[in-house]
Amino acid sequence: MPSSLPLPTSDDDRTNLSNIGGENLSDQAIKKWCRRVGFGLVNVWLVIHLIGVFLPAFSIPPSPEIVRDLYWSLRFYPQAIYMDHGYHFFGPDPGDSTLLRFVAVQADGTSVRGTYPNRNAFPRLRYHRHFMLTEAIPRVASFDEGLGALQAKTYAARILASTNAESVRLYRVTHRMTSIDRFLAGGRLDDPETYFDEMLGTFAIDDEKSVVRR
Amino acid sequence: MTERLAKAWDSWQRFWFAKESPLVVCVMRWPMVGMILYTHLIWTFDFQAFFADQASWQSREFVQQYQAEQFAYSFWWHVPADWMWETHFVSLLILSLFWVGFATPITGWLCFIIVVSYANRVPLAMYGLDQVNGIAALYLAIAPCGGRLSVDAWIRRRLHNIDAASLAMRRVADWIRKVPFWRDCQQTHTQPTSSVGLSIRLFQVHLCFIYLWGGLGKLQGETWWNGEAVWLTAATLDYQSNDLTWLIHFPWLYQTLSITTWAWEISFPILVWQPRLRRWVLMVGLMMHLGIGMFLGMWTFGLAMIFIYLAFVSAETYTMAATKAALFWRRWISEPGLSNAASDHQLDGRELMIESRGR
């Protein structure tokens, strides 16, 4: 028995040697090439991802126009993966809160008054979900007036459905923050004078069962 | 020049693609996906009120107009009204499976699609918690986070331990191994891999982005500069879950907290990479998020942020913590009569066995 493998002496031997572990050398080369291309693509994705995650926050005004333009061109990526965020938590300053007040009138004339959201909602996450909806009212209205009107109609439709009413009057309520001086002078966080109402409109269900603004 | 480029490329590779133990992402999967599951479970209470096409807080007409120029995808736009509850429960089931670590290469990506679809269906109800959930879902999906501490790992062990004498069981195991979907799950890595390293780095770097922009955003405001911001936040009744108005009597405290908040946020991306400072930097963040949870009622958001910190803990630390916990359990609870020396000896032996089996 030979102590070591004999050197290949014919073409057949060479062919056999190129077939290692049942895999042809050319297959291995293709696999290696695929791995390299795959790795290159991962690197390209990584660069796009980092830019995509960084840009949305950078593009929040005040920001250079060039950044805002770049963000607008590349926004498809962060938006598609839900990473289109600014992360400016409580910035630039903590602001006033926005709530919703409503007076709904049912078919028998009974009126239902309320404030939305309900602070006693449990678990607390439910309260935050609803609170985010009212907090979005000034943002949407300042972004697009028409969209703000549609938002008010949407909220009205929901209140009409949940109170079983025929019409509803909606008020946007701005709850002003209490300054240090005011609090030291004896003011409270829930003093009535810290709430400012602004009527959003009266909404009713028409004959075709759709919600219209009156 | 070429040498410098090669060095830079090498540094880039080492930073993003260093091979790391999957244990870190496997540990992170439990709290992070647990939070995602909880977040989506809570939708059940108000499901129709938010997700119905009409007479909901986020009607189809409004959301589609709001997202008119956005690339925001949601599978909810394709679900018929009669199938909405079923779709919700199937989504919860998939999230549960990912949470316990079943078929993670598939359930991980489905989890990501679910998180994005829910967020894009009710965009105005979203806040920081959902942003962190999105980050967790994507970065866990790209890593083999079911390699350990999972049903996948348990099944893999069971398949390997099928009794050789039991022919029927062996055939079942062979058949399961051949199912294409399951075969992929069985290939889940237990060894250190680059995809784990990439996932951990993305968590870490993304957290740096969040804090950097959080801090820079605050510097644009007046109240974070003059130190009143923490008081104003505490005095916002609609966020408050515990009374913090006593802060008014300690101006030095709320002013220090205001300045510390943005200073810490801006310095986080630099200081957290210093091994000696990391523990203290994370400790400050831990206290800040626990404070937000305790006083502003945002426990879910605070915890979700803290869970990202787990990416800064090494696999060795997790292994050591598990060993200590097992030691404590054995010495004081399961077999309190054992002497310390005997307990140590037996536990060490058992730990070594577990480690070698896992690898």
Side-chain angles (χ1 to χ4, degrees):
Chain A
M1 205 172 166
S3 59
S4 59
L5 285 170
L7 287 170
T9 52
S10 66
D11 284 351
D12 286 348
D13 285 345
R14 287 192 189 96
T15 311
N16 289 338
L17 266 183
S18 70
N19 197 322
I20 300 166
E23 229 176 351
N24 198 293
L25 270 183
S26 62
D27 288 346
Q28 287 183 338
I30 291 169
K31 273 189 179 174
K32 200 175 172 186
W33 184 83
C34 287
R35 268 203 299 271
R36 274 191 175 183
V37 171
F39 189 60
L41 288 176
V42 169
N43 276 284
V44 171
W45 168 78
L46 182 57
V47 172
I48 293 171
H49 180 76
L50 293 174
I51 294 170
V53 167
F54 194 78
L55 266 186
F58 197 9
S59 67
I60 292 177
S63 56
E65 202 178 335
I66 186 175
V67 174
R68 290 204 296 276
D69 290 345
L70 190 62
Y71 162 70
W72 190 251
S73 313
L74 300 176
R75 74 189 192 286
F76 70 93
Y77 178 74
Q79 286 179 353
I81 61 165
Y82 190 61
M83 293 211 179
D84 184 32
H85 311 304
Y87 307 121
H88 285 30
F89 304 119
F90 292 104
D93 285 308
D96 301 331
S97 312
T98 305
L99 309 169
L100 208 57
R101 204 166 275 168
F102 62 88
V103 182
V105 181
Q106 293 171 332
D108 62 356
T110 312
S111 66
V112 183
R113 292 163 187 271
T115 305
Y116 177 80
N118 175 13
R119 286 196 72 203
N120 299 319
F122 180 82
R124 179 82 173 174
L125 179 55
R126 289 178 69 198
Y127 167 70
H128 282 291
R129 292 281 181 228
H130 291 283
F131 184 40
M132 289 304 115
L133 292 183
T134 56
E135 281 282 83
I137 293 173
R139 194 175 72 235
V140 173
S142 65
F143 173 68
D144 181 341
E145 226 172 85
L147 197 60
L150 180 59
Q151 183 186 28
K153 199 175 103 174
T154 306
Y155 290 3
R158 178 64 209 159
I159 293 170
L160 285 169
S162 56
T163 56
N164 206 17
E166 286 195 331
S167 72
V168 65
R169 215 162 48 241
L170 279 188
Y171 299 89
R172 163 181 159 177
V173 182
T174 305
H175 186 193
R176 295 269 158 80
M177 285 186 299
T178 302
S179 69
I180 292 170
D181 292 340
R182 203 178 158 280
F183 195 83
L184 285 174
R188 288 166 50 90
L189 304 184
D190 59 351
D191 282 340
E193 56 263 35
T194 58
Y195 292 89
F196 294 85
D197 288 11
E198 181 192 329
M199 191 158 162
L200 289 174
T202 302
F203 301 85
I205 300 173
D206 69 2
D207 297 337
E208 292 171 358
K209 300 283 178 198
S210 56
V211 177
V212 290
R213 190 189 182 118
R214 277 187 181 163
Chain B
M1 183 66 182
T2 318
E3 199 177 320
R4 274 187 188 175
L5 275 177
K7 263 189 181 174
W9 174 247
D10 190 46
S11 302
W12 168 270
Q13 299 300 315
R14 270 188 286 122
F15 182 78
W16 289 106
F17 300 103
K19 288 189 175 179
E20 298 280 354
S21 165
L23 183 61
V24 179
V25 281
C26 295
V27 169
M28 291 175 78
R29 192 192 74 248
W30 283 99
M32 286 186 148
V33 183
M35 182 59 79
I36 292 174
L37 176 61
Y38 172 75
T39 306
H40 289 75
L41 196 62
I42 295 301
W43 280 123
T44 311
F45 290 104
D46 299 301
F47 188 64
Q48 284 292 339
F50 276 90
F51 287 79
D53 277 355
Q54 291 178 335
S56 69
W57 294 109
Q58 298 276 266
S59 70
R60 176 185 283 255
E61 183 192 6
F62 170 73
V63 175
Q64 291 194 335
Q65 203 162 318
Y66 177 75
Q67 294 174 333
E69 291 191 339
Q70 295 180 16
F71 295 86
Y73 171 77
S74 173
F75 61 64
W76 284 110
W77 301 128
H78 312 292
V79 178
D82 297 345
W83 284 86
M84 292 190 68
W85 276 106
E86 287 83 350
T87 309
H88 177 57
F89 286 122
V90 169
S91 300
L92 291 178
L93 177 68
I94 290 168
L95 295 179
S96 306
L97 292 176
F98 186 44
W99 183 45
V100 297
F102 179 75
T104 47
I106 293 157
T107 50
W109 285 107
L110 291 178
C111 168
F112 174 64
I113 292 169
I114 289 167
V115 169
V116 172
S117 290
Y118 274 73
N120 284 334
R121 175 59 189 86
V122 285
L124 294 191
M126 298 289 118
Y127 68 110
L129 167 67
D130 307 283
Q131 299 172 9
V132 179
N133 280 347
I135 292 166
L138 178 63
Y139 298 158
L140 285 178
I142 63 173
C145 63
R148 297 178 72 173
L149 310 172
S150 64
V151 172
D152 281 351
W154 180 79
I155 292 174
R156 191 175 51 242
R157 279 200 302 274
R158 296 286 295 176
L159 286 179
H160 281 293
N161 294 341
I162 293 291
D163 182 9
S166 168
L167 186 65
M169 282 301 289
R170 215 169 59 220
R171 279 189 180 161
V172 171
D174 286 344
W175 180 80
I176 292 172
R177 282 192 200 105
K178 283 175 189 166
V179 175
F181 138 86
W182 190 249
R183 193 181 55 212
D184 294 340
C185 299
Q186 291 310 297
Q187 285 168 358
T188 307
H189 304 284
T190 53
Q191 294 293 314
T193 65
S194 299
S195 61
V196 176
L198 178 65
S199 167
I200 292 171
R201 277 287 186 254
L202 283 169
F203 271 120
Q204 294 172 336
V205 171
H206 207 126
L207 190 66
C208 291
F209 280 173
I210 292 174
Y211 285 137
L212 178 68
W213 286 117
L216 292 176
K218 288 179 178 68
L219 285 187
Q220 293 169 19
E222 189 187 321
T223 56
W224 288 103
W225 272 109
N226 67 20
E228 286 182 8
V230 164
W231 156 258
L232 290 173
T233 307
T236 306
L237 187 67
D238 308 294
Y239 273 108
Q240 204 180 73
S241 58
N242 278 306
D243 186 17
L244 259 182
T245 50
W246 51 265
L247 269 177
I248 197 101
H249 304 297
F250 305 96
W252 62 269
L253 181 57
Y254 64 73
Q255 286 172 16
T256 307
L257 287 173
S258 298
I259 307 295
T260 310
T261 302
W262 61 257
W264 174 82
E265 284 185 327
I266 289 171
S267 60
F268 183 92
I270 299 163
L271 300 183
V272 79
W273 300 107
Q274 311 296 322
R276 277 188 306 167
L277 295 177
R278 180 172 297 164
R279 178 180 304 195
W280 304 107
V281 172
L282 294 179
M283 201 66 84
V284 173
L286 190 75
M287 287 190 293
M288 183 180 78
H289 288 299
L290 289 178
I292 289 173
M294 197 177 295
F295 294 106
L296 299 184
M298 289 192 275
W299 275 113
T300 42
F301 172 63
L303 289 174
M305 288 294 286
I306 290 169
F307 294 156
I308 304 182
Y309 289 11
L310 296 174
F312 287 97
V313 182
S314 68
E316 290 74 27
T317 309
Y318 286 122
T319 308
M320 205 163 69
T323 309
K324 280 186 180 170
L327 182 65
F328 178 85
W329 176 264
R330 197 164 161 79
R331 186 177 289 171
W332 298 104
I333 297 167
S334 72
E335 296 175 46
L338 274 181
S339 71
N340 289 353
S343 172
D344 281 352
H345 175 75
Q346 289 183 17
L347 185 83
D348 285 349
R350 188 192 284 181
E351 275 300 309
L352 284 174
M353 249 176 66
I354 291 169
E355 274 300 306
S356 59
R357 208 189 307 155
R359 288 169 187 226

